[in-house]
Amino acid sequence: MGKVISVANQKGGVGKTTTAVNLAASLAALEHTTLLVDIDPQSNSTSGTGFEYKAIDQSVYQILVEGISAKEAIKKSELPFLDVIPSHINLVGAEIEMVDRPNREKILLKALSEVRSEYDFIIIDCPPSLGLLTINALTSSDSVLIPVQCEYFALEGLGQLLNTIKIVRQHLNKELDIEGVVLTMYDTRTRLSNQVADEVKRYFDNRVFETVISRNIRLAEAPSFGKPVLLYDSVSIGSKNYLALAREIITRNKKLFKNSSVFTRNNDQDK
C-alpha cells in the first residue's frame, strides 16, 4: 500500500508545484512507482510533466465531478516509474459543482483507494487555497509536506494551514500527519535565507527536512520545457536537491517499504 503525501501551502509562490513535480520525478528516478495527482486548477504540475491540458480528455475534474475511476485518468509520463493524473482548467468550478455531492470531502479518497496499491508514493499537488479541493487532498493523504520559502513573512499564513490540518484530523482523517517542512528558494549568499531557516526550525523543530532547495536557474527554466528538472538538467543543483529530498523521505518511510526489494536495492546503492 503506497503512501499518499499532499504538498500544500495556501500561500502562493513558495515552490509548491515545483516541489510536487520534482519530488515525484525524483522518487520515480529512484525506481519507486509514483503517481503525481494535480488537483490545482492552474494545471502547472500537468504542464510541468509534459502534458497540455487542452489535449486531455480525462482528468482529475472528471474524477471529482463526473465520477470516472482514477485508472481512466492516469497518463504515463516520460519517466518510466512516474504516472500522472492531470488537472484541467474546468477544475476552477469544481468546488461549486461538488457542493451537493454526498461525502464530497471524500471523493478523491475513494478514487485513489482503487489505485493506491499500485504505487509506492502518491504525491498530490494542492491548489494555493484551503477550499474543498485541498480538503479532498488532505482527507486522501497520510501526510502533508509543507514548502516554505526563505523570504520575509515565510511563516505568514501557516497557522491557518495548520488549523485546517487539525480540523481535517478531527473530522475527516484522524491519521493525517505532517510529513515535514522543506525550505525552498534558499540563497546561500544572503543572511535572510539563514535567518528564515533558523526561524522555521524554531517553529517546526525536527519536522524540518535537512535538505533545502536552493535557488537555481535550471529549476526555474524546466517547467517552460514541460520537464522535471531531472530531465532538463540532471546535474543541476535543483536536480541534486530534489533527489536528496526524495532520499530523505524514503529513509523516513523505510518501515513502509521494509519488504520492498526496490527499497532495499536503492538504499544499498545510496550507502
Side-chain angles (χ1 to χ4, degrees):
M1 185 69 73
K3 181 161 192 180
V4 184
I5 302 174
S6 278
V7 182
N9 191 332
Q10 80 276 15
K11 186 177 180 181
V14 301
K16 175 185 60 64
T17 293
T18 298
T19 294
V21 168
N22 290 292
L23 173 59
S26 296
L27 290 167
L30 294 171
E31 298 186 8
H32 281 277
T33 51
T34 304
L35 175 65
L36 174 62
V37 181
D38 188 357
I39 199 171
D40 186 346
Q42 297 177 85
S43 306
N44 290 333
S45 280
T46 299
S47 60
T49 47
F51 298 96
E52 173 56 56
Y53 81 83
K54 293 179 181 178
I56 291 169
D57 54 350
Q58 306 284 21
S59 68
V60 74
Y61 172 81
Q62 277 74 27
I63 292 173
L64 296 174
V65 176
E66 299 177 8
I68 72 168
S69 70
K71 287 185 177 181
E72 293 178 75
I74 290 173
K75 313 293 182 188
K76 297 288 183 183
S77 80
E78 193 175 344
L79 281 165
F81 288 87
L82 179 63
D83 291 346
V84 179
I85 292 181
S87 181
H88 193 278
I89 191 63
N90 288 346
L91 204 58
V92 168
E95 293 190 352
I96 296 174
E97 295 179 80
M98 294 163 63
V99 72
D100 292 326
R101 295 276 300 276
N103 294 315
R104 59 185 180 271
E105 301 90 351
K106 297 184 178 182
I107 298 172
L108 186 63
L109 171 66
K110 182 180 178 182
L112 292 183
S113 67
E114 300 172 2
V115 299
R116 185 167 174 169
S117 62
E118 299 177 20
Y119 296 95
D120 291 337
F121 290 98
I122 297 177
I123 306 297
I124 306 176
D125 181 19
C126 298
S129 67
L130 297 176
L132 187 54
L133 294 175
T134 297
I135 295 299
N136 258 267
L138 298 181
T139 303
S140 306
S141 298
D142 298 301
S143 62
V144 187
L145 190 155
I146 306 171
V148 175
Q149 84 283 28
C150 293
E151 302 285 353
Y152 283 114
F153 309 120
L155 299 177
E156 187 180 60
L158 282 183
Q160 189 179 358
L161 173 61
L162 296 176
N163 187 55
T164 299
I165 292 171
K166 180 180 178 181
I167 292 170
V168 170
R169 276 186 189 142
Q170 291 174 339
H171 301 286
L172 296 166
N173 180 5
K174 64 181 181 180
E175 303 299 328
L176 183 64
D177 195 10
I178 294 177
E179 185 72 23
V181 175
V182 58
L183 293 163
T184 63
M185 306 178 192
Y186 187 87
D187 190 338
T188 56
R189 301 169 299 178
T190 67
R191 182 181 300 176
L192 174 63
S193 284
N194 292 315
Q195 291 173 339
V196 171
D198 290 342
E199 184 180 8
V200 171
K201 287 172 183 175
R202 280 197 301 271
Y203 192 84
F204 286 100
D205 196 24
N206 62 354
R207 291 186 182 274
V208 181
F209 287 101
E210 291 182 15
T211 302
V212 297
I213 310 300
S214 301
R215 284 192 178 276
N216 177 242
I217 187 64
R218 294 301 196 190
L219 197 56
E221 290 173 349
S224 64
F225 290 86
K227 295 177 181 291
V229 70
L230 265 173
L231 293 179
Y232 179 62
D233 186 345
S234 62
V235 297
S236 68
I237 294 297
S239 294
K240 293 175 181 177
N241 286 168
Y242 277 108
L243 279 170
L245 178 62
R247 288 190 177 100
E248 195 171 346
I249 287 176
I250 290 166
T251 299
R252 286 189 179 194
N253 290 280
K254 59 185 177 182
K255 288 183 180 179
L256 185 66
F257 301 105
K258 62 183 178 180
N259 297 320
S260 168
S261 59
V262 169
F263 177 79
T264 303
R265 181 172 68 252
N266 285 327
N267 257 10
D268 289 342
Q269 290 173 353
D270 292 341
K271 291 179 180 177

